[in-house]
Amino acid sequence: MKTIDELLAEGVAGKRVFVRADLNVPLDGTTITDDGRIRAVRPTIAALAEAGARVVVASHLGRPKGTPDPAFSLAPAAARLGELLGTEVAFATDTVGESARATVAGLTDGQVAVIENLRFNPGETSKDDAERGAFADQLAELADVYVGDGFGAVHRKHASVYDLPARLPHAAGGLIATEVGVLKKLTEDVARPYAVVLGGAKVSDKLGVIDHLLEKADRILIGGGMAYTFLKAKGYEVGISLLQEDQVPAVQGYLKRAEELGVEFVLPVDVLVAGEFPDLKTKAPTHPTTVAADAIPADQEGLDIGPETRKLYADKLADAATVFWNGPMGVFEHPDYAEGTKAVAQALVDSEAFSVVGGGDSAAAVRILGFDENAFGHISTGGGASLEYLEGKTLPGLAALED
């Protein structure tokens, strides 16, 4: 896999370099609420521009249905990128149409442009190879060289991620190189004890990584909405908590297998419950109560791990040498249910472990809750990509960058 350093050494001055970035940032209207992914790819874009390349940045944002939708425009991301680069960034209002062609044609050496959301074109995500390939052909006309640096999308077999690199000389950007290097530390010669913290809503999203990490981790801590499927698997009442009933047998199998392998599975011992899901927009006060994990009332919903569980999890992380964390412990967006997620983050800050925060909601939580990003070993830009790598899967976007 060619690196961006090798590409820069060959010279990119005057060349149109297509950077597949991940600018899929959360928006409140047109306001970016977390610019972490833009900041993560900024060094690659800046290095290319400083070397005289004509940089064409492309990304997806959200899940539009293959047609333009103003709610998913990349215009706010382009504006923020310009602020971070300290220079004007041109913006094309389409992906491969008249605006994109004119915008790219108007670039001079060292200038940067962002084209509109790739998913506004159905060819980007099509499962039909020919349709995807046709869109990749159109994108290839905008560039001379391809740099893949959108780690959050490398697990997708999409036109700009998988098909386009085959049509142009290509290299991996600095962010992808960093992400892969970090993930290798979680899978090869891991410093022990190795603790994995998994949260988030659905246990089905994490079964693959649990299956793979049972062979590698020393202990696995479970929180978030997925914890209630584990508690149900132990025969506990979970009330109206988030539950994937169809996954209970699989979870029971993993608990048994963990016991056989000597892997410690740590589940909540107490939880915060309430009768109604909190309003995340108003942040109006709710009335949570703390109950034992095996005593959730039938009419209540678990929304965060409780104080005893926070202490337990902090203790389980204190002596770890390596920690991978993916998924919040509760509904951290509401202050009444943020303490569990905050406790895990603080435990990682306090430990001497090499800590990896696995993208997605976990990365957002760290920033929203006010933690210094530099206090963690690495904050990933790709939750789904990180999980699939840890499952041992081949990621299409990485395979496409191999020579």
Side-chain angles (χ1 to χ4, degrees):
M1 187 183 291
K2 180 184 285 187
T3 68
I4 189 169
D5 290 338
E6 292 171 320
L7 179 65
L8 291 170
E10 293 172 357
V12 293
K15 293 183 179 179
R16 301 170 301 163
V17 179
F18 188 104
V19 178
R20 198 341 177 154
D22 180 8
L23 308 181
N24 184 28
V25 292
L27 294 172
D28 182 2
T30 58
T31 301
I32 297 171
T33 57
D34 179 7
D35 68 354
R37 284 175 168 163
I38 304 176
R39 287 186 286 111
V41 77
R42 179 202 168 279
T44 290
I45 296 169
L48 289 166
E50 288 166 8
R54 304 178 183 194
V55 187
V56 182
V57 182
S59 176
H60 71 287
L61 191 151
R63 296 188 178 185
K65 306 298 183 182
T67 188
D69 183 339
F72 297 105
S73 175
L74 278 173
R80 180 58 181 149
L81 176 61
E83 293 171 357
L84 292 170
L85 291 171
T87 187
E88 184 178 350
V89 169
F91 181 66
T93 57
D94 55 28
T95 56
V96 291
E98 184 178 338
S99 178
R101 292 193 297 271
T103 300
V104 173
L107 291 175
T108 59
D109 294 2
Q111 289 190 323
V112 179
V114 173
I115 62 174
E116 187 54 284
N117 192 335
L118 292 164
R119 292 186 183 175
F120 284 0
N121 190 303
E124 170 68 1
T125 59
S126 176
K127 289 182 168 47
D128 181 81
D129 291 349
E131 184 178 15
R132 235 182 26 252
F135 183 48
D137 288 339
Q138 291 178 293
L139 291 172
E141 292 176 5
L142 300 175
D144 305 304
V145 181
Y146 176 93
V147 172
D149 215 24
F151 181 74
V154 293
H155 59 314
R156 306 295 189 191
K157 193 176 181 180
H158 290 170
S160 66
V161 176
Y162 179 74
D163 301 273
L164 184 54
R167 289 158 167 78
L168 295 169
H170 51 267
L175 174 60
I176 278 186
T178 297
E179 294 274 13
V180 172
V182 166
L183 289 169
K184 285 183 176 178
K185 288 187 179 181
L186 299 178
T187 53
E188 304 170 10
D189 289 328
V190 183
R192 298 187 178 280
Y194 179 15
V196 175
V197 186
L198 297 175
K202 294 181 178 180
V203 70
S204 57
D205 293 340
K206 306 292 198 300
L207 287 181
V209 75
I210 292 172
D211 182 60
H212 206 66
L213 289 178
L214 275 175
E215 304 289 339
K216 300 181 181 296
D218 296 301
R219 61 186 72 123
I220 299 176
L221 287 60
I222 302 293
M226 63 184 285
Y228 302 101
T229 301
F230 278 87
L231 294 176
K232 185 72 172 180
K234 291 180 70 69
Y236 298 165
E237 167 67 55
V238 297
I240 58 172
S241 305
L242 190 62
L243 173 66
Q244 287 186 283
E245 188 89 49
D246 62 323
Q247 300 297 332
V248 168
V251 167
Q252 289 172 329
Y254 285 126
L255 290 172
K256 181 180 179 183
R257 190 167 146 221
E259 187 176 356
E260 293 169 350
L261 291 170
V263 177
E264 187 179 8
F265 240 108
V266 191
L267 301 179
V269 295
D270 62 344
V271 297
L272 263 63
V273 300
E276 293 183 5
F277 193 81
D279 187 324
L280 300 180
K281 288 197 176 292
T282 67
K283 304 293 195 300
T286 62
H287 302 285
T289 55
T290 301
V291 300
D294 61 355
I296 298 174
D299 63 345
Q300 299 282 294
E301 178 176 11
L303 296 166
D304 195 12
I305 57 174
E308 291 303 315
T309 304
R310 290 174 223 148
K311 293 177 188 174
L312 172 66
Y313 285 15
D315 288 344
K316 295 295 182 182
L317 296 171
D319 69 338
T322 304
V323 180
F324 173 69
W325 172 30
N326 182 282
M329 297 293 98
V331 187
F332 74 91
E333 299 92 339
H334 193 287
D336 290 349
Y337 306 101
E339 293 304 315
T341 301
K342 198 179 295 183
V344 167
Q346 189 62 55
L348 297 191
V349 171
D350 293 341
S351 79
E352 296 182 1
F354 173 65
S355 57
V356 178
V357 181
D361 286 342
S362 312
V366 163
R367 299 182 184 107
I368 290 169
L369 297 175
F371 287 90
D372 180 359
E373 294 180 41
N374 295 321
F376 303 88
H378 179 69
I379 297 179
S380 179
T381 57
S386 296
L387 289 175
E388 291 199 15
Y389 188 98
L390 293 178
E391 286 178 39
K393 292 183 177 179
T394 298
L395 306 187
L398 296 185
L401 293 174
E402 297 289 348
D403 292 327

